[in-house]
């Protein structure tokens, strides 16, 4: 499979994205949690370049292969804390918005809000949204894992 185009984002859009990413990462949210959220949303959406990038980035923050291999099955493993499970559940609920999906329930929201302040929670939500944004762009242009825009 070949990519359909190289870098669909123009300079103005890229500048906006950079500002959003700076705000997300400047929120005080644990960068490893942000990477786990990015990885889980990308797994759900089947976005190979984002899964690849998410794994590489999480490793830079010291994430282990054992945990990275189990993000997809985080509910069935003992490897994640409650503080990590809450944003993973939020990620799944916010990403899977197909017809009939319950979405972000009060229970999911309350679990996340128990672990993060409003600024951190806002950053996690924005990170979920940005990941879904990139996942959809990558699907559209057939971006390949291991390549960059």
């Amino acid at each position: 499979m070949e990519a359909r185009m190289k870098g669909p984002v123009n300079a103005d859009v890229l500048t906006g994205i950079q500002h959003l990413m700076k705000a997300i990462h400047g929120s005080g949210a644990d960068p490893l949690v942000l990477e786990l959220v990015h990885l889980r949303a990308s797994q759900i959406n089947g976005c190979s370049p984002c899964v690849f990038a998410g794994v590489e980035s999480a490793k830079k923050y010291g994430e282990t292969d054992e945990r990275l291999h189990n993000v997809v099955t985080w509910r069935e493993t003992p490897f994640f804390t409650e503080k990590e499970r809450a944003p993973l559940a939020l990620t799944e609920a916010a990403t899977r918005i197909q017809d009939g999906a319950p979405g972000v329930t009060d229970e999911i929201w309350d679990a996340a809000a128990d672990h993060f302040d409003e600024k951190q929670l806002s950053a996690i939500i924005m990170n979920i949204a940005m990941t879904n944004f990139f996942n959809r762009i990558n699907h559209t242009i057939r971006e390949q894992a291991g390549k960059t825009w």
Side-chain angles (χ1 to χ4, degrees):
M1 184 169 71
E2 294 289 322
R4 290 182 167 142
M5 64 187 303
K6 186 176 181 176
V9 179
N10 70 39
D12 291 336
V13 173
L14 186 57
T15 298
I17 291 168
Q18 288 170 336
H19 287 294
L20 285 169
M21 296 308 289
K22 183 178 178 182
I24 290 167
H25 288 278
S27 69
D30 181 346
L32 189 52
V33 166
L34 294 174
E35 293 303 333
L36 293 174
V37 162
H38 171 81
L39 179 56
R40 186 64 193 119
S42 297
Q43 289 171 334
I44 292 166
N45 291 323
C47 183
S48 66
C50 287
V51 168
F52 180 88
V55 167
E56 292 299 307
S57 187
K59 284 182 175 183
K60 290 177 185 174
Y61 287 106
E63 190 53 88
T64 66
D65 285 337
E66 179 179 59
R67 283 172 35 105
L68 288 170
H69 290 297
N70 285 282
V71 169
V72 72
T73 58
W74 63 270
R75 283 185 173 88
E76 291 82 32
T77 66
F79 306 128
F80 301 95
T81 67
E82 289 304 313
K83 189 172 182 175
E84 293 165 331
R85 290 173 184 277
L88 288 169
L90 181 64
T91 300
E92 289 184 358
T95 299
R96 292 184 167 138
I97 56 173
Q98 71 277 13
D99 292 341
V104 179
T105 64
D106 289 340
E107 180 182 22
I108 291 169
W109 179 263
D110 291 344
D114 285 346
H115 294 286
F116 302 96
D117 65 28
E118 196 167 295
K119 186 174 181 181
Q120 294 165 332
L121 195 52
S122 176
I124 291 167
I125 294 164
M126 287 302 302
N127 197 51
I128 295 166
M130 290 299 296
T131 299
N132 280 282
F133 169 79
F134 284 116
N135 292 166
R136 281 148 179 80
I137 291 172
N138 287 332
H139 271 289
T140 302
I141 67 167
R142 295 183 178 162
E143 185 66 34
Q144 301 296 295
K147 308 252 174 142
T148 59
W149 287 356

